[in-house]
Every structure is written in C-alpha cells, then in structure tokens.
Amino acid sequence: MLAEIITIGDEILIGQIVDTNSAWMAQRLNEIGVRVKQISSVSDDREHILKAFAEATGRADIILITGGLGPTKDDITKKTLAEYFGVELVESEVALNNVLEIFKRYNRPLLDTNRQQALVPANCEVINNNNGTAPGMWFNHNGKVYMSMPGVPFEMMYMMDEQVLPKIKATFKLSTIIHNTILTVGEGESYLAERIADIENELPPYIKLAYLPKLGQVRLRISGYSDGDETLLQQQVDAFTNRIAERVSNVVAAREDIPLEKAILNMMTERGLTLSTAESCTGGFLSSLLTQHAGSSKVFLGGAVSYSNQLKQSILGVNAATIQQFGAVSEETVIEMANGALKNFASDYAIAVTGIAGPDGGTPDKPVGTVWIAVVTASKQLVKKFTFRGKRQQNIERSAISALGMLNTLLNDKVI
Amino acid sequence: MLAEIITIGDEILIGQIVDTNSAWMAQRLNEIGVRVKQISSVSDDREHILKAFAEATGRADIILITGGLGPTKDDITKKTLAEYFGVELVESEVALNNVLEIFKRYNRPLLDTNRQQALVPANCEVINNNNGTAPGMWFNHNGKVYMSMPGVPFEMMYMMDEQVLPKIKATFKLSTIIHNTILTVGEGESYLAERIADIENELPPYIKLAYLPKLGQVRLRISGYSDGDETLLQQQVDAFTNRIAERVSNVVAAREDIPLEKAILNMMTERGLTLSTAESCTGGFLSSLLTQHAGSSKVFLGGAVSYSNQLKQSILGVNAATIQQFGAVSEETVIEMANGALKNFASDYAIAVTGIAGPDGGTPDKPVGTVWIAVVTASKQLVKKFTFRGKRQQNIERSAISALGMLNTLLNDKVI
C-alpha cells in the first residue's frame, strides 16, 4: 500500500519553516504498513496543486494533504480540491458547529471569514478538528483516498492519530503489523548486534528486527507481519522481545517507544525516587529535557545551572581549592558538584555535568568535547569522562544523553 | 528565476529524519532572488528519480539534488544522473585527490568502495567537497542547471555557501537583492504595522517589507530589488530600515537576523553586563536557549531550576510565608525569586519565571498557562503576568521568549 504526502503553502518553499509534519506522518504510516512513495511541497498556486494531485494519484493509493486551510486569501486548498473533483463548496454543519463552539469558548466575535472555515467540497466526509477551526476532509475517489488536513502540527497530529490512521486501517484492510520497541542506551549498534546475534538468527521471516540509532541510544524495533492470527503473532513477537531485552538488560531503559528521559521519569515515579541536577556545560539542556514532560515535577526537584565557578561554589558547595587544583572540568569537581546537589537539593539521585562544549575553551590537555559526568546517591556513585568530537550543540546533547544513560545504569543497579 | 529541490533517499520517506536541508536551501535561494517552486523527497528508485528529474525540468531552471551519494549500494544518484544525461561514469581526478587526502588525514586504508566516490557522470563539473568524500556535481544541460550535492547537512551547507550560490549568481546574472532585518519582540504584527503604516506607504515598488512573526517576536525584513546601482539601493534600503527601527525602537532587539537570545547576549556582552536566571515552569529551557550560543558564559553566570517550593526557598531565598500566602505562582513569589537570583548569583540582571505549564496543576483562579515573570536589577524591576493558552511545550517556549522580551525592554531602558 503506497501513500504520498503533499504539503501546500509558501512557508516551506521560502524556508520560513522546516517541514516536520511529513516525517512524523511518514513514520506513523510506516508503522501501520503503508509505504510513502514521495513527499512534495508545492506553492499556493492552483495549477501547481492540481498537477501535484494528478501526479500523486498516478503513483499512490492514499494521498495525504496538509496546509492551505487557513481563512486568508492565499489558502486555496479547499477550492482546488473542489475543482479537482468537479464539485461545489458547501457549508458543513459539523464543521460550522465546531467553529461556533471554538469562538464561543474564547468569547470572540465570529467574522465572515471564520464562518467560511465551514465550507467544504460537496463530496467530502468531514473529519472533525478537535484543536482548531479548519476541518479535516476525507475523499473516496476512483478507489483512492485523499485526506486534507490543517498544517498546524498538533492539529494534524491529533487528527491523524485519533481519526485518520484508524480510518485508513479500516478502509484498506491492511495486514496486521505489530511493533515492539526496546530502548537501549550506552552501547553501540554493532556491539548490541553481536550480543543478540543468535536470537536474531532464529527470527522467522515474518518477524523483523531493526536497529534505530540516535545520539548514544539504540532503539530495537521488533516488527511482526501477518495476514492471519493476530494473537499468535503478538505472542511470538512478545517472546522474542523478552528474550532480547533480557539478554541486554544492563542497557535497557524502556520496553516501549518513548524518549530516554521519559523512561527514566517513569521508572523513578514508580519507585518514588527524586532527582536533582548540577549542570555546567549542558547549561540547562538536561533540565529542560526532563521538564518538557508532564508530571516531571513528581521526580525532578530542580537543579543548578552553575556556569560560573563562583556558582559552583556558592550553590553546590564545591571547594574553591578543588577547582583551583584540578580545574572546573575534572573528576574531583564533578563529584563535588553531584554531592553538593544531592545534599543542597535533598534528592535521592543527583547528576552533575561539567565540560567544554566549545568552540572555545579547549586546551591540549582538555580539548573541546571533554566532559565529566557524575551520578550519585547517598550510597552509590558512577563517574565517567567522555571525549566528544562534535560541534557545541552536539556536545551538549550527547552529554545530556550520556548522563541519562549513566543514571539508567545506576537505577538498574549494575554498580555498587 | 525558479528552482526545485529534490531529496533522494529513504530516510526521509520512512520518517527516520526530518528534512531540514530543503528549508535551509530554500531560504538561501530566496535571499539571492531565486524562488523555489517545489520540494520533493523521492525514494532510492531509478525510475522514480528519473521521473522526478523530468518533472522538475518542466517547471524550473535550477534543479538542486541532495542525497544518495554514499558509497553503499542503495545510493544510486550518480548512476541515475548519468543515465538521465546519457553519459558514462568516469573517474574524476579532482574528486579522487580529495578522497585520497581525506583518507590520508584520518590514516585509514582506502577500500575500493571509497575510490568509487570519485566516479562522476562524464558531463559534469566537479564541485569539490571540503568536508567529505562525496563530490558535488554541476551540470549545464539544455539551458538548465542541475546540481547534485551530498545529503549530510554541513557538507551541503558549506558547498552551497562557498561554491554553488556564487556560481548560480554568476551563471544567471540575477538581479541585486538586499535584505535588512529588524528583530522586534513583545508587540503583535498588526500593532507594528499600524505604527509604521506611513513609512510603509512611502516604500517604492522595488523595496518590500515583510512581517515574519514567530512566538511573540516579529522579524521585519526590508528587501530591495534592482538591476542597476547596488550602492544606491543599499543606501535607500538602509534609510528605510533606520526610519522603521527608530519608530518602533522600544521593541527592537536587533538590527540583524539573529535569534532573540543571541541579540540579548550581544547587547550585554558589549556593555559588560551579567545575567542569572531563576526558572520554575520553564524548567531550564531559558538557560539552555542562552547557553547554546558560544560565548554565552561571558554574560550568563548560571541559574536555578527551582521546580520544588523547597528549592525556591533554599537556593533563591524565597520566604516560605510568601509561597504559603500567595502561592508559588504569584507576583510576590516571582519578585522574591528574581531578587534572590540577583543576590545569590551576584549578577547585574536576573530573570525569574514561575507558572503553570500544564497539562495538570491548573485551578479556576490560576488556569494552565498562567505565568508570572520578573526581570530585575539592583535599581529597576519589571513584573508581568501572562495567560498563555497553549500546550505544555508551547507555554514553556512562550514564557522564555516573553522573559527575554522583558529583559530587552529593561536593557532598552524604557522603564524606571
């Protein structure tokens, strides 16, 4: 089953925004067994859009369209869809009620342009937008499906997950696909592959294992494909997932497809543990990774971004003499930072990171990319030196992920 | 002058990576006066690639191609380009020398697959890749230009800036385009437009003003187009830019196209000022915005991420009674947080943010999205309440940008 994604609007073509929607949609489609043949961004231009519809129709069964649904003049997706299908625009009661409700909620006057949001091509089925005024529109035409959605990422994402993907699955009777994910951190792809080679060799042809590496983490995705018994397939995929997860258990952070920091927050929430941070070179990035997740305040008490040596001393209680003798980027300093956070912030676990993110500040002894990380509890500690070779932002991100990997190790209790 | 961008490779189509290259290229092309008609991502499939070349050729004069130049079997861009132009692959001396040099530098043995990186279609001009082994390839064919580049972002970016864009400008004798940017923060697009309406009305037809809004900021881009005297055009564009910037000076953060936090870091570095932060609901996001920039340590001393009330008291010296009486999200608490940071972290300026990012924690009195922000110095303070209506991450980002906007106001000295 093939799909194409067409993005309409000039924002992407003038480089004002990066098209993150398409990658997200492609990933979701792949997960239900739909391959994406082409992704196209086209301008707000009638002829160009019509041509893009025709070209995509020649290659794919499902055409997903985003953007061009706003209330302004440039937004011509609906008009052009109506022209493509040879139908009129009509007012949809479902869509109008949604618009009215949203304006009522925010207590704003309804302008004529807002009311026009409820106009849709006569041959479409309206898919309600629970997060905005632009309706989704589903078309069945000559055995192909066309789905037009707003370009605002979170409006599109909710619409896809809640309505479009289930509807595609129901319409096309796709084969069953089951995905299990194991999130690992701290071990390279090739080492992992070696450790589980015998299990991988036993996989039947309808169960595939994929290695998805990203910034010090590797996601192992075990996917089962079947046209037959779903329960049996699920059992088999689960059994292989369990064997693999047990084999590499020392580096496993989660048995589901979630970000590393979320896995750690879940684990610590379950055990009633708290965390604090002492960040130098990561400059708040580690904290912001954690705090982007709802509910993080149950685990994360807070931390210090101790960029200056003065703050390392005053907030974290690092000894001036330690910094003086060993430097701010050293094993001794990072341990004092971590213990300072543990004590001053009264948490069960504390992470400290100090390093040289670059591009300046490197020395022959401690080149750019040198990073010391410590994770401590009242009775355990893990301290490591890393030498990254990236640009500033890459070094910051790698440091944060490495710190979370070490915290995962300590939570998995593999060190004394 | 029209261009198209074609991205070759399955990584984007399976959603493994987001295509950031195309937006970057589109922006750069727009800056030299080349409009992008379509951006397409196609699979590593011979027929599909050939069709994409033909379709793009039918619409544009410049076809920029990225990806599919690696040494593995999937990478078929070169073979397909040779087929499209009806030529053979030949070994390029320039490309081979580059490959040899890189392997020598890293002291690695040269495999046969690496040597094949030097094979290129016979009709191309090799554009040297200073950052990798895959050569760039420039083709002139029936009055159109085709340029194939590696998909690795920084390899492509250097190649574009150093060689491809100048070559496009030379080949097509494009009109002169001059862009000036004014970064404003804290005032909406329509209010700004009203304040400068008379100046905008005076603009000659060859000078355009664009409003580019993003998260509480509006970039004003003043662009001049000419086929004649460049110096005169520059003078005219500068004159309008100055008039506009002076008119709205109270909300101007920068006179160049840089991020808001970088503008503030530059301003404070110039004046020798230091900054610290006390973050609750932004959870480190504000610090990490600042510290992503090289040289930020000259200004930013550090800060506290005081997620728990306990930390607000212990690190920032907020009175327990204040939190008790007015709540953690209140004018009284945010002022104590800011003054605590100013004092404990010994900075010239301090920012404090406390709020309810959501999705939980809201009350009828203080719904999700309620955020208090304070910016203080020893003698000045600015305190504001915001009510955002976004999801968690949007509320966090809007809070951080609003805080930087307030800091900009205080630095511009518009309050006592």
Side-chain angles (χ1 to χ4, degrees):
Chain A
M1 188 61 49
L2 292 179
E4 292 222 1
I5 299 171
I6 299 174
T7 300
I8 297 174
D10 288 338
E11 300 92 338
I12 293 172
L13 297 176
I14 63 170
Q16 204 183 321
I17 59 166
V18 170
D19 175 24
T20 53
N21 281 350
S22 296
W24 186 90
M25 291 164 80
Q27 204 174 24
R28 282 294 204 274
L29 290 167
N30 270 276
E31 282 169 10
I32 62 165
V34 175
R35 277 207 307 128
V36 176
K37 186 69 183 164
Q38 178 162 332
I39 299 170
S40 314
S41 292
V42 302
S43 58
D44 289 314
D45 171 276
R46 183 187 144 271
E47 255 182 78
H48 191 189
I49 297 174
L50 289 173
K51 188 135 191 279
F53 288 164
E55 284 172 2
T57 303
R59 285 182 297 248
D61 312 290
I62 303 168
I63 293 99
L64 297 174
I65 302 150
T66 63
L69 296 183
T72 59
K73 262 197 194 158
D74 329 333
D75 292 307
I76 60 167
T77 301
K78 285 196 296 196
K79 248 187 341 202
T80 314
L81 278 165
E83 182 180 347
Y84 185 75
F85 295 122
V87 300
E88 295 296 308
L89 288 176
V90 296
E91 189 170 90
S92 150
E93 206 185 314
V94 178
L96 182 62
N97 285 341
N98 187 45
V99 173
L100 291 174
E101 204 180 282
I102 287 174
F103 275 79
K104 201 174 146 196
R105 201 186 313 153
Y106 289 110
N107 213 359
R108 291 199 203 147
L110 189 78
L111 304 178
D112 195 46
T113 49
N114 304 127
R115 194 181 172 109
Q116 283 174 21
Q117 291 280 64
L119 290 179
V120 301
N123 65 331
C124 87
E125 178 183 339
V126 168
I127 304 288
N128 200 39
N129 181 352
N130 296 318
N131 299 286
T133 54
M137 292 165 284
W138 173 284
F139 303 85
N140 289 305
H141 189 76
N142 294 341
K144 311 228 161 181
V145 161
Y146 302 75
M147 176 68 212
S148 162
M149 287 174 281
V152 181
F154 81 94
E155 294 183 20
M156 179 280 290
M157 288 174 181
Y158 278 95
M159 201 178 275
M160 279 285 283
D161 276 344
E162 288 171 1
Q163 304 181 74
V164 180
L165 291 168
K167 210 166 153 66
I168 288 174
K169 282 204 261 187
T171 306
F172 288 101
K173 296 188 183 61
L174 300 168
S175 318
T176 299
I177 302 191
I178 291 166
H179 298 286
N180 283 353
T181 302
I182 303 170
L183 172 64
T184 72
V185 58
E187 192 153 88
E189 197 179 340
S190 50
Y191 295 96
L192 282 171
E194 223 176 274
R195 288 175 68 186
I196 58 174
D198 58 317
I199 307 178
E200 193 171 355
N201 284 335
E202 279 179 48
L203 291 174
Y206 54 89
I207 300 185
K208 307 271 179 210
L209 172 62
Y211 295 82
L212 308 170
K214 187 184 151 194
L215 266 186
Q217 307 153 68
V218 180
R219 281 183 165 65
L220 300 172
R221 196 171 63 198
I222 302 100
S223 308
Y225 303 82
S226 160
D227 295 319
D229 187 340
E230 189 171 337
T231 318
L232 183 67
L233 181 67
Q234 182 77 61
Q235 284 169 358
Q236 292 180 313
V237 172
D238 286 350
F240 276 107
T241 306
N242 289 339
R243 282 178 64 195
I244 293 170
E246 273 157 36
R247 178 72 61 80
V248 297
S249 65
N250 65 318
V251 291
V252 170
R255 297 282 292 266
E256 52 185 324
D257 194 6
I258 52 176
L260 175 57
E261 72 280 359
K262 179 68 177 145
I264 285 174
L265 287 169
N266 289 351
M267 212 182 306
M268 296 185 78
T269 304
E270 233 169 68
R271 301 198 214 160
L273 295 170
T274 58
L275 174 67
S276 68
T277 51
E279 300 186 64
S280 184
C281 67
T282 47
F285 183 80
L286 177 55
S287 305
S288 74
L289 269 187
L290 293 162
T291 57
Q292 72 183 302
H293 296 287
S296 51
S297 61
K298 285 197 197 81
V299 169
F300 184 62
L301 303 181
V305 179
S306 56
Y307 233 46
S308 71
N309 287 342
Q310 187 52 44
L311 257 73
K312 290 186 183 72
Q313 297 166 36
S314 60
I315 315 191
L316 297 168
V318 175
N319 282 307
T322 307
I323 297 179
Q324 179 70 27
Q325 189 179 345
F326 303 102
V329 178
S330 65
E331 181 168 12
E332 291 76 6
T333 298
V334 83
I335 292 173
E336 288 191 21
M337 285 171 67
N339 284 318
L342 196 72
K343 187 179 147 217
N344 293 356
F345 309 153
S347 57
D348 299 313
Y349 281 72
I351 299 177
V353 187
T354 180
I356 302 150
D360 308 314
T363 63
D365 257 20
K366 296 175 183 174
V368 166
T370 306
V371 178
W372 278 97
I373 302 178
V375 184
V376 302
T377 71
S379 62
K380 299 190 282 193
Q381 80 173 33
L382 190 53
V383 186
K384 273 194 195 173
K385 181 187 173 182
F386 296 85
T387 313
F388 303 118
R389 291 175 191 284
K391 307 248 172 197
R392 182 178 181 86
Q393 191 57 26
Q394 290 167 305
N395 290 337
I396 290 174
E397 290 180 20
R398 284 199 167 271
S399 298
I401 295 297
S402 302
L404 292 169
M406 288 168 61
L407 174 56
N408 184 58
T409 305
L410 217 59
L411 286 166
N412 279 347
D413 223 355
K414 299 290 162 188
V415 286
I416 313 309
Chain B
M1 188 63 48
L2 292 178
E4 292 222 2
I5 299 171
I6 299 174
T7 301
I8 298 174
D10 288 338
E11 299 92 338
I12 293 171
L13 297 175
I14 63 170
Q16 204 182 319
I17 58 165
V18 170
D19 175 22
T20 52
N21 281 351
S22 296
W24 186 91
M25 292 164 80
Q27 205 173 22
R28 282 295 204 270
L29 289 167
N30 269 276
E31 282 169 9
I32 62 164
V34 176
R35 277 209 307 128
V36 176
K37 185 70 183 164
Q38 178 162 332
I39 299 171
S40 315
S41 292
V42 303
S43 58
D44 289 314
D45 172 276
R46 184 187 143 272
E47 255 180 80
H48 192 190
I49 296 174
L50 289 172
K51 188 135 189 280
F53 289 163
E55 283 172 5
T57 303
R59 284 183 296 248
D61 312 290
I62 303 169
I63 293 99
L64 297 174
I65 303 150
T66 62
L69 296 183
T72 61
K73 260 198 197 157
D74 326 335
D75 292 308
I76 60 166
T77 300
K78 285 196 295 195
K79 248 187 343 203
T80 314
L81 278 165
E83 182 178 345
Y84 185 74
F85 295 121
V87 299
E88 296 295 309
L89 288 175
V90 295
E91 189 170 89
S92 150
E93 207 186 314
V94 177
L96 182 62
N97 285 341
N98 188 45
V99 173
L100 293 174
E101 203 181 282
I102 287 175
F103 276 79
K104 202 174 144 195
R105 202 185 314 153
Y106 289 108
N107 212 0
R108 293 200 202 143
L110 189 79
L111 304 176
D112 195 44
T113 50
N114 303 126
R115 193 180 174 106
Q116 282 173 23
Q117 291 280 65
L119 290 179
V120 300
N123 65 330
C124 87
E125 177 183 339
V126 168
I127 304 289
N128 201 38
N129 181 351
N130 296 319
N131 299 286
T133 53
M137 292 164 284
W138 173 284
F139 303 86
N140 289 305
H141 188 75
N142 293 341
K144 311 229 163 183
V145 161
Y146 302 75
M147 176 69 213
S148 163
M149 288 173 281
V152 181
F154 81 96
E155 294 183 21
M156 178 280 290
M157 288 174 182
Y158 279 97
M159 200 178 275
M160 279 285 282
D161 276 343
E162 289 171 1
Q163 303 182 74
V164 179
L165 291 169
K167 211 167 152 65
I168 288 175
K169 281 204 261 187
T171 306
F172 288 103
K173 297 190 181 55
L174 300 168
S175 318
T176 298
I177 301 191
I178 290 165
H179 298 287
N180 282 353
T181 301
I182 302 171
L183 171 64
T184 72
V185 59
E187 192 151 89
E189 196 178 340
S190 49
Y191 295 95
L192 281 172
E194 224 176 271
R195 288 176 66 187
I196 58 175
D198 58 319
I199 307 178
E200 193 171 355
N201 284 335
E202 280 178 46
L203 290 173
Y206 53 90
I207 300 185
K208 307 269 179 212
L209 171 64
Y211 296 82
L212 308 169
K214 188 183 152 195
L215 266 186
Q217 306 154 70
V218 179
R219 279 180 167 66
L220 301 173
R221 196 172 62 199
I222 301 101
S223 308
Y225 303 82
S226 162
D227 294 320
D229 186 340
E230 190 172 337
T231 318
L232 182 67
L233 181 67
Q234 182 77 61
Q235 284 169 358
Q236 292 180 313
V237 172
D238 285 350
F240 276 107
T241 307
N242 288 340
R243 282 179 64 194
I244 293 170
E246 273 157 38
R247 177 72 60 83
V248 297
S249 64
N250 65 317
V251 291
V252 169
R255 298 281 292 265
E256 52 184 326
D257 194 7
I258 53 175
L260 175 57
E261 71 279 359
K262 179 67 178 143
I264 286 174
L265 287 169
N266 288 352
M267 212 182 306
M268 295 184 79
T269 304
E270 235 168 67
R271 302 198 213 160
L273 296 169
T274 58
L275 174 68
S276 68
T277 52
E279 299 185 65
S280 185
C281 67
T282 45
F285 182 80
L286 177 55
S287 305
S288 74
L289 269 188
L290 294 162
T291 58
Q292 71 183 301
H293 297 285
S296 51
S297 60
K298 284 197 197 82
V299 169
F300 184 61
L301 302 181
V305 180
S306 56
Y307 233 47
S308 71
N309 288 341
Q310 188 52 46
L311 258 72
K312 288 186 184 71
Q313 296 166 37
S314 61
I315 313 191
L316 297 168
V318 175
N319 282 308
T322 307
I323 298 179
Q324 179 71 27
Q325 188 179 347
F326 303 101
V329 178
S330 65
E331 182 170 11
E332 292 77 6
T333 298
V334 82
I335 292 173
E336 289 191 22
M337 285 171 67
N339 284 317
L342 196 72
K343 187 179 148 218
N344 293 356
F345 309 153
S347 57
D348 299 314
Y349 281 72
I351 298 176
V353 188
T354 180
I356 302 150
D360 308 314
T363 64
D365 259 18
K366 295 177 185 174
V368 165
T370 305
V371 178
W372 278 97
I373 303 178
V375 184
V376 301
T377 71
S379 62
K380 299 190 282 191
Q381 81 173 29
L382 190 54
V383 186
K384 274 195 193 172
K385 181 186 172 182
F386 296 86
T387 312
F388 303 119
R389 292 175 188 283
K391 306 252 169 191
R392 183 179 181 83
Q393 191 58 26
Q394 291 167 303
N395 290 337
I396 291 173
E397 290 179 20
R398 284 199 167 268
S399 300
I401 294 298
S402 301
L404 291 169
M406 287 169 61
L407 174 56
N408 183 59
T409 305
L410 218 56
L411 285 166
N412 279 348
D413 222 357
K414 299 291 165 194
V415 286
I416 313 309

